[in-house]
Amino acid sequence: MLPTQLKAMFALCLLGMGGQDHVALNCLEKAIHSTELESWSEENSTFTKKYPSDERRWIIFQESLIAPVNKLSLLASVADMIQNDVKNDFWIPRLLDIFRHFLKDLDKNHGVDKILSGRCEVTRNNAVKLLYAVTELIISNAKSDLISSIETGIDEDKVAQQVVTDIVYAFKIIVRFEEVFWNPNESDWSLPNSSMKTLKLLSSALSALVQASSSGIANNLVQSIKNAFANSCHVMSIICRADSDTLDGLFGWTSSNEEYASEIWESFPLVSEWQLPFHKHISLKTFNLCVASCVSSFSGWEPNEFHLDSLRSRDNGNIFGISISGPSVAGFLSSYITDEIGSQWRMVNSILQNLESVEYERNLSRRMNAEWYQKVKDNLKKKGSEKNTIACFGEHDALRILLSFSNLCLIAAKHSEEDQKDGF
């Protein structure tokens, strides 16, 4: 009989080779349920010096090779293996079940928090890998179930309900472990790879949530959508640096003044006095992210509103695609984003039937035919910069997140009445 640690490594090898997933997952489950393997190691890291990030990653990798196998390190290795390769629908639900049960057991005595606040770099790194893997698998599994349900037309409301529940669970993981999933560099407002990965996960999750929310209007699903909206607000407060303390006011919003009620909105500009700090942070972040899609030396995550003066003190400040005429800043965005904005304006007009039309398509066409716009597009083609290379820190994914969040608000408003409708 092989020792338990070797059985665990055997399961890892089988999973890596492929073609024997069922056997591999059986071996993995036995190893995780075994009492002979420790859940995780509390041993301190063997190095305490501060190293450059690249060198530090190499040392952590070195230590992980000589450390004894435990359940956390085993599942972290599996997480490494499936990174960017979540394709096999057959084993995703089962692997996700293994991950979730292990995290639940680990968390009974605040084990996850102890690991993340501990001094052992290897163990902390393994926990971070597992949290990302669980979140990614939850979202991937939810999307797969949703696509299958839509294609077959079987139990659409039931599947949509489960998808919303699963996405909300993923949101709760991100909110609880905010320091793992979101840590922009405040010296230059760049994003590490981990935070950019978080944006991709959130973009995918919110897209699935919107799709699930649009697939049915059963009463229980409408209530789930509103619950999902509340949880997505907490996620938005993290990435947009909006104070989460203001969310209580957002959820309990009432029209204390009749002039703020959306039903009487008829013409632009609309009143803005009703906005809470949360709304204002979202608006500021949206503007900065749009500018950063056109300006290479400006990060969309900077806390202050974009202004030309902020670029003049920087070296190599290149403005690729904005035009400033009077008080307005105009730029360009991807066709997906502009099409989605048009779709949402049509939804706004269907909800607020007294509101004047913005003639979005006509105004967009006029902008796109402007001389400065055509000149910028030609320059980008010559420089080979057309394929989303200006935005360096996940700004395109962030804009997709904001659009999905906006869409979710409109869906919730469509199925609400009076003050609650105004709030959404």
Side-chain angles (χ1 to χ4, degrees):
M1 292 290 290
L2 291 172
T4 303
Q5 287 194 350
L6 285 181
K7 288 180 182 177
M9 297 305 294
F10 178 63
L12 195 61
C13 291
L14 286 177
L15 202 57
M17 288 193 313
Q20 301 186 66
D21 294 336
H22 182 73
V23 177
L25 290 173
N26 282 343
C27 293
L28 184 64
E29 277 186 325
K30 288 179 182 177
I32 296 301
H33 293 149
S34 169
T35 57
E36 297 178 32
L37 274 185
E38 286 186 322
S39 291
W40 56 287
S41 172
E42 291 188 86
E43 293 179 8
N44 287 334
S45 182
T46 58
F47 64 94
T48 56
K49 283 175 57 181
K50 287 190 175 181
Y51 292 89
S53 58
D54 290 341
E55 191 173 345
R56 194 172 189 83
R57 284 195 292 268
W58 171 249
I59 294 173
I60 291 173
F61 172 70
Q62 211 172 13
E63 286 200 349
S64 66
L65 290 179
I66 61 175
V69 176
N70 55 57
K71 295 176 184 178
L72 178 58
S73 65
L74 176 62
L75 292 182
S77 296
V78 175
D80 269 340
M81 195 176 297
I82 65 171
Q83 188 176 20
N84 301 321
D85 192 30
V86 184
K87 296 176 182 177
N88 194 327
D89 292 343
F90 167 74
W91 55 259
I92 285 176
R94 191 172 173 193
L95 186 58
L96 177 57
D97 192 55
I98 294 171
F99 281 1
R100 289 178 70 165
H101 274 86
F102 174 74
L103 274 179
K104 185 177 179 179
D105 289 340
L106 189 63
D107 209 29
K108 285 178 181 176
N109 297 312
H110 305 289
V112 180
D113 297 295
K114 288 178 183 177
I115 291 170
L116 294 175
S117 61
R119 296 179 61 188
C120 183
E121 290 270 2
V122 173
T123 303
R124 186 184 187 283
N125 197 50
N126 286 339
V128 169
K129 288 179 183 179
L130 189 57
L131 287 171
Y132 267 102
V134 167
T135 308
E136 185 174 6
L137 286 176
I138 288 172
I139 296 168
S140 178
N141 191 55
K143 288 181 66 177
S144 177
D145 287 347
L146 188 61
I147 292 170
S148 177
S149 172
I150 292 172
E151 288 177 349
T152 61
I154 300 174
D155 293 330
E156 282 193 61
D157 277 348
K158 183 179 178 181
V159 172
Q161 179 84 40
Q162 186 59 50
V163 166
V164 172
T165 301
D166 289 343
I167 296 297
V168 167
Y169 182 75
F171 286 163
K172 287 180 176 178
I173 292 175
I174 292 172
V175 171
R176 178 181 168 187
F177 300 107
E178 174 186 344
E179 74 282 358
V180 169
F181 287 92
W182 191 249
N183 42 25
N185 185 341
E186 296 188 6
S187 63
D188 60 1
W189 298 104
S190 61
L191 288 188
N193 289 334
S194 58
S195 292
M196 287 200 280
K197 183 175 181 179
T198 297
L199 289 175
K200 289 189 179 299
L201 290 175
L202 286 175
S203 176
S204 183
L206 277 162
S207 175
L209 191 56
V210 168
Q211 194 174 8
S213 302
S214 304
S215 67
I217 55 172
N219 289 333
N220 57 341
L221 182 56
V222 170
Q223 191 53 48
S224 293
I225 293 169
K226 293 177 181 179
N227 178 46
F229 169 78
N231 282 276
S232 62
C233 281
H234 284 286
V235 173
M236 298 302 295
S237 73
I238 290 173
I239 67 171
C240 294
R241 291 186 163 263
D243 188 354
S244 59
D245 292 341
T246 66
L247 292 180
D248 291 338
L250 183 69
F251 302 139
W253 195 88
T254 57
S255 305
S256 57
N257 191 325
E258 288 185 1
E259 68 175 316
Y260 300 158
S262 61
E263 287 293 344
I264 66 167
W265 290 349
E266 294 182 351
S267 59
F268 295 98
L270 301 175
V271 294
S272 60
E273 287 78 7
W274 55 268
Q275 289 189 339
L276 296 169
F278 178 82
H279 301 111
K280 294 175 182 177
H281 276 91
I282 293 283
S283 297
L284 171 62
K285 191 57 62 183
T286 302
F287 175 70
N288 279 354
L289 289 167
C290 288
V291 172
S293 298
C294 306
V295 181
S296 62
S297 55
F298 179 76
S299 168
W301 306 105
E302 296 202 20
N304 299 317
E305 184 176 333
F306 168 79
H307 194 276
L308 278 179
D309 289 342
S310 65
L311 296 182
R312 291 189 176 122
S313 60
R314 305 181 189 187
D315 295 330
N316 301 318
N318 295 313
I319 303 174
F320 282 107
I322 62 170
S323 174
I324 298 177
S325 55
S328 302
V329 177
F332 65 92
L333 295 169
S334 70
S335 57
Y336 166 83
I337 291 175
T338 54
D339 289 347
E340 179 61 24
I341 292 172
S343 174
Q344 290 193 28
W345 269 119
R346 288 190 289 274
M347 191 182 298
V348 168
N349 284 126
S350 72
I351 297 171
L352 304 177
Q353 297 183 0
N354 294 328
L355 183 65
E356 70 170 301
S357 172
V358 296
E359 297 185 331
Y360 173 79
E361 282 79 8
R362 185 175 70 84
N363 286 318
L364 178 64
S365 177
R366 180 168 57 84
R367 285 286 189 184
M368 292 176 70
N369 288 322
E371 183 180 350
W372 71 265
Y373 188 96
Q374 294 297 325
K375 184 177 180 180
V376 166
K377 295 295 284 185
D378 288 342
N379 286 339
L380 287 176
K381 287 180 180 178
K382 290 176 184 177
K383 295 177 181 178
S385 303
E386 201 172 19
K387 300 296 184 181
N388 296 345
T389 56
I390 297 174
C392 303
F393 303 120
E395 285 90 350
H396 289 284
D397 285 319
L399 287 173
R400 286 172 179 261
I401 290 169
L402 287 164
L403 280 170
S404 292
F405 178 71
S406 170
N407 207 338
L408 191 64
C409 292
L410 292 174
I411 292 170
K414 189 174 181 180
H415 299 294
S416 303
E417 296 180 356
E418 298 178 352
D419 284 348
Q420 200 174 43
K421 178 180 179 180
D422 291 338
F424 287 121

